Amino acid sequence: MEQEDKIGIQVKEHGIVLVGGIFILGFSLFILVMGLCYPSGGGNRLVFALVLFLMMVCGVMVCITYFHRRLTVEEMNLCYVNAIGKRREFSLNDIGYCKLRIYGTKREAVVESLILYDLLGDKLCKLEMNMPGAREFLQYLLDNQVKTQWPGTEKQPRKVMEPMLMEKAICKEEIGKFVETFYEMISPVFTDWEKQHKRFDAQWEFGLAEYIQDDLLPEKDMWQWESSVSLKNGEELPEDYLCILEAYLMRGEEHVMDRKGRVVGFLSPCIWQSRSYQVGESRRIRRPDETYLRESIQTQLTVLAKELPKHPYHTEYLTLRHELKKAVGRSEEPFLKDEKS
């Protein structure tokens, strides 16, 4: 592995922790000054001094925690330093599993923290997900196949709103088959939406578009993006390759536009290549879980159906600056709008 591909991650306390510690110290000093300048004859000075002392100790400890507590990862070697500066070194092979603590509703929740355990089930360390570098570290654990658990049952699994937990690795040869299966699975979702919302008198134009990251210019609307890649059999994927499902709302041959002049539609990444955090691997081709992706698209369609009656729209005839396809990874005819299979 090249030097620049070596894995190095640091998880540390958020800057707000230091701000909080300084605030506590400053507030304590303010109370001390006010107490000295305007002493109270009826107050218990011993209690006052004790409370003030505890507040200052708390502020100091919070500041110390900011400078001490961190997790450092270098390839397979990890080092955790706790709030009082005690070090604990271990390797990737020492990790038995990772347990996620989550909060939210029974059906939808977000990750609050992660706890690492060794092979014997003893706790190694705990990290909050709002710490800088924590999500990068979670990706490191997932890429290295560390077992990850979170609360839930088989009958009613708790849905965690963390996309990386739903990602799967895929090899280049599997892209074509996955995309073909995904397209067949998702087509009825759009067809059902059209049937359920006939009052809109609208249809969906949807298909797959291939890009590299630099093609996705934020100042342009998505129909204006120009693709600089078209994956064929035997070709290597660009390092920042993206395959995206794009969907545009149509009325006849014209695109539906909002009052800001942007097309009404959405996109969902279905294949992408990014850096791998697996030891010994530099890049990884990723895809989301099919069920997760379908549910995500269904959610976007549901939200759009609720928003459409609330805002004014108009239609324009547009020509997309890129192809929408039904398959990638091989020669394919462009997407035809009247084909809804």
Side-chain angles (χ1 to χ4, degrees), residues 190-316:
F190 289 99
T191 303
D192 291 343
W193 188 94
E194 294 172 359
K195 292 178 180 178
Q196 293 171 12
H197 302 90
K198 290 183 179 179
R199 67 185 187 279
F200 295 143
D201 188 26
Q203 308 81 37
W204 285 102
E205 176 186 14
F206 62 95
L208 303 162
E210 297 175 283
Y211 300 104
I212 58 173
Q213 191 65 46
D214 290 344
D215 293 336
L216 309 184
L217 302 175
E219 65 272 15
K220 291 187 176 182
D221 203 354
M222 66 182 192
W223 71 272
Q224 298 173 311
W225 292 339
E226 297 181 4
S227 173
S228 57
V229 60
S230 182
L231 184 63
K232 306 295 182 184
N233 281 337
E235 292 185 357
E236 290 296 322
L237 266 66
E239 285 194 353
D240 51 356
Y241 172 82
L242 288 164
C243 176
I244 297 175
L245 174 80
E246 295 183 1
Y248 299 87
L249 193 62
M250 309 283 293
R251 296 194 74 177
E253 295 295 317
E254 295 185 322
H255 290 75
V256 179
M257 313 287 289
D258 64 21
R259 59 185 175 184
K260 294 182 179 180
R262 301 182 72 87
V263 292
V264 176
F266 61 88
L267 52 84
S268 291
C270 54
I271 298 285
W272 62 93
Q273 183 169 221
S274 61
R275 180 185 178 181
S276 173
Y277 288 97
Q278 180 174 325
V279 177
E281 181 182 67
S282 59
R283 310 291 294 180
R284 174 169 291 196
I285 306 171
R286 307 178 189 272
R287 69 170 178 84
D289 175 77
E290 299 95 323
T291 302
Y292 173 82
L293 184 54
R294 182 180 60 197
E295 290 178 352
S296 173
I297 292 171
Q298 288 173 330
T299 299
Q300 293 185 77
L301 288 171
T302 300
V303 170
L304 184 60
K306 293 179 180 179
E307 291 296 319
L308 283 175
K310 300 178 182 179
H311 307 284
Y313 298 93
H314 64 279
T315 60
E316 291 183 22

Side-chain angles (χ1 to χ4, degrees), residues 73-247:
V73 180
E74 293 182 3
E75 290 291 286
M76 293 187 65
N77 303 312
L78 296 88
C79 177
Y80 176 71
V81 182
N82 67 12
I84 60 175
K86 185 177 179 181
R87 295 168 58 91
R88 182 168 193 173
E89 297 183 0
F90 53 97
S91 76
L92 180 63
N93 293 331
D94 295 325
I95 302 175
Y97 63 98
C98 169
K99 181 177 288 187
L100 302 180
R101 286 190 174 177
I102 61 178
Y103 68 91
T105 65
K106 201 166 186 178
R107 295 295 297 174
E108 293 187 3
V110 296
V111 180
E112 180 183 52
S113 61
L114 65 85
I115 307 172
L116 293 185
Y117 295 89
D118 63 19
L119 300 172
L120 299 176
D122 295 325
K123 182 177 174 181
L124 290 170
C125 66
K126 176 184 177 182
L127 304 169
E128 285 73 43
M129 290 304 292
N130 61 1
M131 297 173 69
R135 277 182 167 75
E136 190 178 7
F137 177 63
L138 179 56
Q139 187 72 71
Y140 169 83
L141 297 175
L142 295 172
D143 283 2
N144 286 283
Q145 291 85 49
V146 174
K147 184 179 179 181
T148 306
Q149 304 174 350
W150 64 87
T153 64
E154 293 183 1
K155 292 183 178 180
Q156 283 190 321
R158 199 163 184 182
K159 186 178 178 182
V160 180
M161 304 302 291
E162 187 63 63
M164 73 174 71
L165 296 175
M166 307 301 170
E167 291 175 5
K168 297 181 179 180
I170 188 173
C171 66
K172 187 181 69 173
E173 292 73 20
E174 296 175 303
I175 291 178
K177 180 62 177 175
F178 166 74
V179 169
E180 180 182 348
T181 302
F182 165 69
Y183 190 92
E184 292 176 355
M185 177 189 69
I186 208 64
S187 294
V189 174
F190 289 99
T191 303
D192 291 343
W193 188 94
E194 294 172 359
K195 292 178 180 178
Q196 293 171 12
H197 302 90
K198 290 183 179 179
R199 67 185 187 279
F200 295 143
D201 188 26
Q203 308 81 37
W204 285 102
E205 176 186 14
F206 62 95
L208 303 162
E210 297 175 283
Y211 300 104
I212 58 173
Q213 191 65 46
D214 290 344
D215 293 336
L216 309 184
L217 302 175
E219 65 272 15
K220 291 187 176 182
D221 203 354
M222 66 182 192
W223 71 272
Q224 298 173 311
W225 292 339
E226 297 181 4
S227 173
S228 57
V229 60
S230 182
L231 184 63
K232 306 295 182 184
N233 281 337
E235 292 185 357
E236 290 296 322
L237 266 66
E239 285 194 353
D240 51 356
Y241 172 82
L242 288 164
C243 176
I244 297 175
L245 174 80
E246 295 183 1

